[in-house]
Amino acid sequence: MTKHKPDTKVTTLGRDPEANFGIVNPPIYRASTILYPTVEALRNPPTGHNQLRYGRYGTPTTFSLQEAIADLEGAAGTVAVSSGAAAITAALAAFVETGDHVLVVDCAYEPGRKFCDGVLKRFGVRTTYFDPALGAGVARLFEPRTKAILLEAPGSLTFEMQDVPAIARVARQHGIKTLVDNTWATPLYFKPLAHGADVSIISATKYIGGHSDLMMGLISANAESFEQLRAGAYAFGHHASPEDCWLALRGLRTLAVRLKRHHETGLIVARWLQARTEVKRVMHPALPQDPGHALWKRDFTGASGLFSAVLHPVTPRQFAAFCDHLELHGMGASWGGYESLALPSDPRRARTVCPWNEDGELIRFHAGLEDPDDLIADLEAGFARMKQA
Ligand SMILES: *Cc1c(COP(=O)(O)O)cnc(C)c1O
């Protein structure tokens, strides 16, 4: 890893102006064919990571991004793929074969669960879901053929924290790989590998892109796991477009300042919601009342702008009156852009171990880069509409 502090790293990593006529940003190198000058060179192509060989394995633009993220994650290497979902599936598939078993935290991102219940199952790999609060107790679920554990801290929609170091420690003792979906925190606020995990997965669609116009996944692994991960991802033909890598690099340059603001605004809005009589509870691990707060405080260095709130029960008409006319909070999937979102969500479909029993509506909020006063005024007007409906 380079020596600089994180804010400096995001502005310097993956750049080499001298190699590109003094141009500040790595240019977009597009390529499929790479020509070899001699038979000798053709028969001995470069095979290392981040070496130019064939377009599918990336170009210097891809390598700039992969090198930057690997440094931030403290990883032996990073592979860029076409989406966060592809990053999850490529990472899981790299470590299992027929007859194996994987453990997946119950609050994991739903499309990852679908991959386990569909594709992995068809290929003879079984999945057991587990309670995010189990910690090292997850060892009770280990089987002789358990090969991987997938964590996501905090979890999708409901934001349960997990004790990543404790789980990774028992997993390592049994030769099981620990994979962490690190999309929420990004490597700036949590470093899975430094906490014992083998693989860190991020949907760069979210905060790395940062502008709601990019789809990409990044998978990073430690030295013991990287070759297996890379070979697995390339066997499936995964690839990330050089344009998209260039956009991800552009997003990376401002990641530190954006995240700081998302963290601050997210907490301001979350605290305001917590004090509202319409709100039953707020799920945000940086709030001291949150059950995951101690773990968050111990392992993370910041929070992003994504959290949820459960409302006290209201009629569908009242709920629609709140959601349908918000001016600054959009309703849509994905998050991590500069803009705020308020997305009605239902965790019921995506839980099998810890049933979701709330009878009020859950709204997942993304605090964007707007002024928090305006965001609060927008929500306040929504509650007023709800009351009148
Ligand atoms: C969005 C998301 C993904 C999937 O990313 P895509 O780029 O949309 O495929 C994976 N994990 C988490 C936690 C996410 O929020």
Side-chain angles (χ1 to χ4, degrees):
M1 276 197 274
T2 52
K3 64 180 192 298
H4 293 123
K5 295 193 171 178
D7 286 22
T8 311
K9 283 186 183 228
V10 297
T11 68
T12 54
L13 290 173
R15 286 178 46 206
D16 188 3
E18 276 176 34
N20 296 295
F21 309 98
I23 296 167
V24 170
N25 292 314
I28 301 172
Y29 286 100
R30 298 189 54 86
S32 55
T33 302
I34 309 297
L35 301 173
Y36 294 84
T38 63
V39 171
E40 167 71 12
L42 182 74
R43 287 186 179 155
N44 299 290
T47 54
H49 192 52
N50 293 332
Q51 286 186 324
L52 198 59
R53 179 181 173 197
Y54 176 54
R56 194 170 65 236
Y57 305 116
T59 72
T61 319
T62 324
F63 306 155
S64 291
L65 176 64
Q66 290 180 160
E67 280 166 9
I69 299 297
D71 188 303
L72 288 172
E73 293 272 18
T78 297
V79 177
V81 296
S82 59
S83 70
I88 294 171
T89 62
L92 278 169
F95 297 106
V96 292
E97 58 189 50
T98 301
D100 284 347
H101 172 244
V102 297
L103 286 161
V104 174
V105 72
D106 202 36
C107 55
Y109 181 66
E110 193 184 7
R113 295 178 60 115
K114 282 193 174 145
F115 175 76
C116 294
D117 300 340
V119 180
L120 285 189
K121 189 177 169 205
R122 274 199 286 121
F123 285 88
V125 177
R126 286 180 314 106
T127 302
T128 303
Y129 295 95
F130 66 93
D131 184 337
L134 265 191
V138 75
R140 287 199 299 276
L141 302 173
F142 289 174
E143 299 180 9
R145 300 270 313 249
T146 306
K147 292 289 168 63
I149 303 185
L150 176 65
L151 304 176
E152 181 184 325
S156 276
L157 304 180
T158 41
F159 301 90
E160 296 92 339
M161 287 298 299
Q162 292 125 65
D163 193 336
V164 176
I167 294 170
R169 201 175 309 122
V170 288
R172 183 168 300 268
Q173 285 162 5
H174 291 81
I176 299 167
K177 302 284 185 196
T178 302
L179 285 47
V180 179
D181 185 327
N182 196 32
T183 303
W184 186 85
T186 85
L188 285 187
Y189 288 168
F190 181 59
K191 294 194 192 301
L193 305 195
H195 289 84
D198 300 283
V199 177
S200 175
I201 296 161
I202 36 182
S203 165
T205 306
K206 311 294 165 55
Y207 284 123
I208 309 284
H211 294 74
S212 303
D213 51 12
L214 168 72
M215 300 296 302
M216 186 182 287
L218 296 161
I219 326 165
S220 305
N222 60 17
E224 299 145 53
S225 313
F226 184 65
E227 277 314 314
Q228 197 174 344
L229 171 78
R230 175 175 175 251
Y234 290 160
F236 278 104
H238 280 300
H239 168 77
S241 135
E243 258 96 354
D244 291 348
C245 292
W246 178 84
L247 267 180
L249 280 164
R250 168 182 273 230
L252 182 67
R253 304 305 173 206
T254 56
L255 180 64
V257 284
R258 284 187 288 112
L259 269 184
K260 188 165 182 287
R261 180 68 181 257
H262 287 297
H263 172 148
E264 289 165 4
T265 304
L267 273 176
I268 292 169
V269 176
R271 288 203 181 99
W272 182 82
L273 284 166
Q274 229 178 2
R276 295 291 305 196
T277 53
E278 297 89 343
V279 175
K280 183 176 174 199
R281 64 187 175 111
V282 176
M283 288 161 282
H284 188 319
L287 291 174
Q289 301 81 0
D290 190 275
H293 184 68
L295 287 176
W296 174 81
K297 206 168 169 186
R298 187 191 70 186
D299 296 340
F300 287 52
T301 53
S304 68
L306 193 77
F307 62 92
S308 287
V310 180
L311 304 186
H312 288 295
V314 288
T315 65
R317 189 191 160 87
Q318 286 178 310
F319 188 57
F322 176 83
C323 297
D324 290 356
H325 306 285
L326 292 170
E327 203 185 321
L328 298 175
H329 293 80
M331 237 189 308
S334 206
W335 48 275
Y338 53 84
E339 85 289 11
S340 288
L341 301 166
L343 182 70
S345 306
D346 185 5
R348 216 159 275 136
R349 301 184 311 171
R351 300 288 183 275
T352 44
V353 180
C354 311
W356 179 254
N357 293 321
E358 295 287 354
D359 43 10
E361 296 277 359
L362 179 147
I363 302 177
R364 189 187 69 181
F365 289 93
H366 179 248
L369 303 178
E370 304 89 344
D371 190 303
D373 290 345
D374 291 331
L375 294 177
I376 286 173
D378 194 30
L379 298 175
E380 193 157 31
F383 284 132
R385 281 192 306 273
M386 194 165 94
K387 204 169 174 181
Q388 274 164 11

